[in-house]
Amino acid sequence: MDLSLMNKEQKKAIQSTEGPLLIMAGAGSGKTRVLTHRVAYLLEDRDVPARNILAITFTNKAAREMRERVSALITEGTQDMWISTFHSMCVRILRSNINHLGYENSFSILDPTDQKSVVKDILKRRNLDPKQHNPRNIIGFISDKKNQLIRPEQSIAEAAAYPDTLYSEMYHDYQQILYRNSALDFDDLIMLTIELFDKEPKVLEYYQNRFQYIHVDEYQDTNHAQYRLITQLAAKYRNICVVGDSDQSIYKFRGADIANILNFEDDYPEAVVIKLEQNYRSSKNILDAANAVIENNTERKPKALRTARDGGPKLQNIVADSERGEAEEVVGNILDLAKKYSHSEMAILYRTNAQSRAMEDTFVKSNIPYKMVGGIKFYDRKEIKDLMSYLKVVLNPNDDISFERIINTPKRGIGPKTVDKLKAHGQATGISIFEGIKESDFIGIPKTAVVKLMGLVDLLEKLAQKSKFITITELVDEVLESTGYIEVLESEKTIEARSRIENLDEFKTVTREFDRDNEISDELLFAFLSDMALVSDQDGIEDDSGVTMMTMHASKGLEFKVVFIVGLEEGIFPSRRVIYDDKELEEERRLMYVALTRAEDHLFLSRANSRMIFGKTESNMQSRFLSEIPEELVEGGGAFAQDDFSSTGSAPKKRTPKRSRVVTNNSGVSFAIGDKVSHKKFGDGIISAIKGEGDSQELDIIFTKVGVKRLLANFAPIEKKE
DNA sequence: CGGCAAAAAGGCATT
DNA sequence: CTTTTTGCCG
């Protein structure tokens, strides 16, 4: 293995193959190169069989790329090596072993929509009001428990007070329903694998022996369950290599525990620790800005990235009037830069997917090619979900959740009454809807409905038999035709129906690709469905040309020559909900750090003086993260000072001077964002945002004593200070 | 039972 | 502003 291009630390990381190893890899420090070379080194120089290596990545796309890059380095095959995400790995393990836990090996994987409908069902059955108990919160509660490996029984026992007591009961219901359906949600994939290993030591030992060398990427974003799983697998050989950067931990909201990486040396006292602090990606100005921002976090181990790339262009500041103006400025700069860079070397990063709309509109108008990551989810479309539900039922007829979706789709005269009866029957006897239909003659369902139900069961059973001998594409065609789904759409002749048909055709390009890579077998349908369930938004990014638009979260691990970070306003980024929570604010700052360090050459920082949010115009102060960037790194210097609304350096000339939004109240006094005011009751404060129009304009004011208040501009008893 | 229109609700980041 | 739910009528 040729390691001559590696620095000292990188070499050490690659060659320290035995025992626990922690690689603290700063942004752009060549982490992926180190990982791929390390794996290649194991295979070629240490003669470790491919089947004894496991590498866990954050996305399926990263897994694919890693396999390709390792294959390019060596002559041996990499087929037997497991490179996958936590979830894909668990699906694979459970597929062969979950019967030990009483589930069917042809289990279904629930998507978030399915989860929601299960919870809604539970609420209905318990006669609870979904307004009082938001299904989202309940799903969140259940997910938290599962990430902490707390089973329903334990959750009930530990619940101290309402609503935890109630939610624990509902968690119990939920888990029972899933079990009866042989359905697993995403969190179950991890939790049940651990449970399997606890219950069946022989199975665990098999995988311990199999995975003698374990690698985990993005270790700072693992949750407790994932941590436990890795601990179990690595317990025998202790060849565990984890890579991460605590400054890039951005998934706490879904259970990631930064302690996993911080405590690694306690878990493995013999661990070797290597720091990669040499950055190969960004120019000095960009890196200095990122370092300056992240230093504002108090809860971190000091660390400073170095770069060999001197200077580079300064950061550029964009201030626009509206979100539309912001998009236009971004487009203007892209047109300028297009001489030097290809579109695919540029990216636009935002905090939330909702912000993409204005960007997208402007891009369409100006004819710049772009690709969006996430957001509009292809697989969330009704017709795709219907089709997937058919496939899920063909594989696992006991999946009531999917079965309910298709029992009357397309319309075949089976109404809610009939479905209710089947469900009630199922609950009483413990059998699935599918099985219940066979007894439907006896539970008070009208004869006509019974005939239709029988026809459906017959159809599904035929499809299930066929599915073992045909490709997925053929199966999809069978489903669409034999159910009459396509026929109904074709007869509709509306634009909408037409686009649905197009989407289904589009779906078949996915199945064709899958069929090309996979042989026909009993496993085929299961493999297809679990692949589909686990595709993430980030997996959609392919190399084709066009400017990339995505959330900052989705940008982790990627790099671009030119990066625009847009919507840098208080309340947008950092998000309104975290501004008064120091812990969460630090996570938000880490997200800023991730976004900044994506850029190699050019970095634009953009905000708008006002924008539409939920149908209302809002004005927000500039993001505090902007003020944390030293002035001298920015084009024109001092561009981020609070009162400066000057425009950027090299953008199109047509811009008009920008002015902050001003409100005049009934007494004729004007207020602007950033003004210091004094309130009769709340004391001193500063105006952070102006929203709404006309008489209903509101001010968000941060008071020193009582925190943030939203007041009507016209009537608030406030006076301007200074 | 099915279809349409009006009303209401929800609204971050994701495997 | 969008998406989902509800309610009414043929």
Side-chain angles (χ1 to χ4, degrees), chain A residues 198-214:
Chain A
D198 280 339
K199 200 172 157 218
E200 304 290 331
K202 283 210 173 102
V203 177
L204 173 60
E205 210 190 335
Y206 170 83
Y207 286 103
Q208 285 175 332
N209 288 330
R210 165 112 206 209
F211 304 134
Q212 294 178 19
Y213 293 87
I214 299 174

Side-chain angles (χ1 to χ4, degrees), chain A residues 324 326-332 334-335 343 346-348 356-372 546-549 564:
Chain A
R324 204 141 294 271
E326 179 177 52
E328 281 163 15
E329 298 245 12
V330 168
V331 163
I334 285 176
L335 291 174
H343 286 132
M346 307 194 223
I348 299 167
S356 67
R357 175 154 290 161
M359 279 296 155
E360 208 181 352
D361 288 352
T362 312
F363 268 69
V364 170
K365 271 188 217 155
S366 46
N367 244 340
I368 297 178
Y370 69 94
K371 55 198 169 199
M372 266 182 58
V547 178
T548 307
M549 298 186 196
F564 296 83

